[in-house]
Amino acid sequence: MFSRLDHPPVAFEDYRPLLDPKLADELATVAGKMRHLRVLHLNSTATGGGVAEILQSMVPLGNSLGIETERIVINPDAAEFFDVTKKIHNLLQGSEGELSSAELDIYFSCIQRVADDMRAKGLAADVWFVHDPQLLPLARLLPKKEGETWIWICHIDLTTPNKSVLDALMPLTQDYDQLIFSQSAYVPKGLGDKVPVLIAPPAIDPLTIKNIPMDLPQARKIVAAMGIDTARPLVTQVSRFDLWKDPWGVIDAFRIARESVPGLQLALLGLSQATDDPEGAEVFKTVADHAAGDPDIHLYFDPAEMPVSVDEVVNAVQMVSAVLMQKSTREGFGLTVTEGMWKAKPVIGGDAGGIRVQINDGVTGFLVSSAEQCAQRLVELLQDDTLTARIGDAAKESVRKRFLLPRLALDYLNVARALVNGRIPAVSGD
Ligand code: UDP
């Protein structure tokens, strides 16, 4: 009912040249004091989506810092489990509706069986980082042992949650020692009175295939092999096909902008549908209908049709695009926004959730609330190279300072260390 995932090793020293030296030293020092601990990160999907993306880098980084760190992914045995957890995700982001008792039963009984399996197999750790609502009941159902530290990390946008699901699930947070949210605006009222809350915005790994510098000729070759004309301007949204990412609005904005920028092309890249997101194929169909066979709207859904790996495709498309969009209407924190900014590209983001923290409107990108506004910003950027370069450079520097993985690792380790030290004798030299 669960698997351990292996990720290729990384070397902490390779990150140093990209970091503020103070942050790098602090991370090494804190990690040095935690070498006696075993750390687990648990989530519900091995690939696809931002959390999987973060963990596949966070776990090897922990190990390279000398902390025994493992990645666990659950394999629920009920076919409906991910339908229910996707509904929970949507409700927490503000959809109408409520969970039926049958759905709650699927959710709890499935996690109970996962917990039983973990207990039977003796899964153990000093610090448990449990990511997102799919696994929230685990601390209660395993249950956590004396001396263990359990931290729940919520990556989603909870600004306008559906109250019924909030009431049903938030009591489960009380079984944790610490909660982590991406933004203070997401912390449900009253939650922080019972369990301490840390705000830690997510981050990207600058050393992955997706984010390392790719030279332009290579990027163009990949994009051309995807059927895009590299002699004409391209704008892109890289995102799962998901209701909250507003792919329809992206197409509308593109159509308006194309009137002022003839020859403009659009790519919508949704190749990394997470296994815990069963809605993607349906959303994709409606987006394809909306695109109505327009030869300059390129939709990508099937990784098997790509000329190279998905990570290389994402890197290449972000490099070749003149402007990137992330027109989400809800977004805990858009890793794609940060990935684009790290490539010194102007990103137009939906004025929602974490994107407001990621983009300083008019300085490191633009925030928009409608297709018309998005189109206007697209045209401004496509017609003004100086503006594009200024915004792109500022975007990259803001990511370097605030949104690279070692900063997030430091946030996680600092809080874990404080909790552990409250419970067991301090390590010598502490
Ligand atoms: N992604 C990808 N291929 C795609 C679409 C998305 O690899 O075709 C990746 C994207 O680069 C990012 C992650 O999936 O690293 C999405 O994270 P984000 O926080 O933007 O959104 P989420 O999917 O978690 O809602």
Side-chain angles (χ1 to χ4, degrees):
M1 301 271 300
F2 68 95
S3 322
R4 285 188 165 80
L5 299 186
D6 280 332
H7 296 300
V10 298
F12 169 58
E13 291 309 315
D14 292 344
Y15 290 90
R16 267 196 193 268
L18 301 171
L19 304 177
D20 172 2
K22 213 169 130 236
L23 184 145
D25 290 346
E26 194 184 342
L27 180 55
T29 306
V30 171
K33 291 175 178 167
M34 295 181 70
R35 291 218 166 118
H36 59 298
L37 298 176
R38 269 197 75 202
V39 171
L40 288 184
H41 284 274
L42 303 97
N43 81 311
S44 63
T45 176
T47 55
V51 177
E53 195 74 24
I54 290 169
L55 295 186
Q56 73 195 21
S57 294
M58 184 62 83
V59 168
L61 177 59
N63 284 308
S64 88
L65 287 161
I67 302 170
E68 191 184 337
T69 311
E70 271 195 330
R71 167 104 186 266
I72 301 290
V73 173
I74 59 162
N75 313 313
D77 59 359
E80 312 86 351
F81 178 77
F82 287 133
D83 295 323
V84 174
T85 56
K86 181 72 197 212
K87 183 168 174 186
I88 290 174
H89 179 97
N90 287 341
L91 290 167
L92 285 171
Q93 294 208 140
S95 303
E96 296 286 313
E98 58 186 300
L99 290 171
S100 67
S101 54
E103 286 168 332
L104 280 168
D105 187 51
I106 289 168
Y107 177 57
F108 281 104
S109 59
C110 207
I111 296 295
Q112 182 66 69
R113 290 193 295 279
V114 169
D116 291 345
D117 193 37
M118 287 176 172
R119 192 183 299 114
K121 295 193 173 124
L123 189 66
D126 301 296
V127 182
W128 297 62
F129 287 103
V130 177
H131 295 261
D132 269 348
Q134 293 91 332
L135 283 164
L136 178 59
L138 196 63
R140 179 164 300 178
L141 299 179
L142 198 54
K144 82 183 177 81
K145 291 200 197 101
E146 188 62 35
E148 291 176 345
T149 294
W150 280 64
I151 300 170
W152 183 59
I153 304 174
C154 180
H155 295 268
I156 64 180
D157 182 343
L158 281 181
T159 17
T160 54
N162 177 303
K163 195 168 170 328
S164 70
V165 76
L166 207 61
D167 291 347
L169 300 191
M170 284 306 114
L172 296 165
T173 58
Q174 290 170 42
D175 296 286
Y176 288 82
D177 301 296
Q178 175 82 40
L179 309 176
I180 300 182
F181 286 84
S182 307
Q183 259 205 73
S184 47
Y186 299 164
V187 185
K189 222 166 156 251
L191 210 63
D193 307 343
K194 294 170 192 128
V195 186
V197 173
L198 172 78
I199 304 302
I204 61 160
D205 183 351
L207 300 185
T208 54
I209 304 267
K210 183 177 289 179
N211 291 320
I212 48 170
M214 180 183 273
D215 66 49
L216 215 46
Q218 188 196 351
R220 287 207 182 102
K221 213 168 130 194
I222 294 170
V223 169
M226 293 165 65
I228 294 171
D229 179 356
T230 54
R232 289 191 280 138
L234 173 70
V235 293
T236 298
Q237 174 156 298
V238 176
S239 265
R240 291 180 294 111
F241 285 99
D242 178 276
L243 174 71
W244 309 101
K245 311 281 186 187
D246 193 17
W248 310 277
V250 171
I251 291 177
D252 294 340
F254 161 77
R255 285 192 168 125
I256 302 169
R258 184 169 55 181
E259 287 169 19
S260 309
V261 186
L264 188 62
Q265 304 166 94
L266 170 68
L268 287 172
L269 206 71
L271 297 166
S272 106
Q273 213 63 39
T275 46
D276 64 354
D277 178 6
E279 285 174 355
E282 271 165 51
V283 174
F284 176 72
K285 268 191 227 122
T286 70
V287 174
D289 286 347
H290 199 59
D294 186 326
D296 284 332
I297 300 179
H298 300 270
L299 306 180
Y300 301 97
F301 187 57
D302 183 359
E305 290 174 3
M306 293 297 101
V308 288
S309 73
V310 169
D311 284 355
E312 286 167 290
V313 165
V314 172
N315 195 337
V317 170
Q318 288 175 336
M319 283 301 298
V320 170
S321 296
V323 181
L324 297 165
M325 283 174 279
Q326 189 56 57
K327 220 194 128 322
S328 307
T329 53
R330 295 280 190 285
E331 191 68 74
F333 183 97
L335 285 189
T336 54
V337 171
T338 304
E339 289 162 3
M341 292 169 74
W342 180 239
K343 293 172 184 96
K345 295 290 169 178
V347 180
I348 302 175
D351 189 4
I355 301 178
R356 292 187 183 137
V357 176
Q358 295 173 266
I359 292 178
N360 181 356
D361 190 24
V363 180
T364 60
F366 288 111
L367 296 174
V368 294
S369 303
S370 67
E372 292 71 24
Q373 235 187 336
C374 182
Q376 189 196 330
R377 293 303 191 191
L378 273 174
V379 173
E380 271 172 46
L381 286 162
L382 289 164
Q383 293 180 338
D384 185 345
D385 291 346
T386 313
L387 176 69
T388 302
R390 175 167 59 76
I391 297 262
D393 289 347
K396 177 157 192 171
E397 184 55 16
S398 86
V399 173
R400 200 186 64 73
K401 286 202 182 116
R402 300 164 66 204
F403 298 125
L404 295 183
L405 189 76
R407 193 231 79 233
L408 184 61
L410 180 60
D411 289 346
Y412 285 0
L413 293 183
N414 264 334
V415 80
R417 180 164 166 260
L419 290 163
V420 169
N421 281 352
R423 227 177 263 131
I424 61 170
V427 189
S428 110
D430 223 20

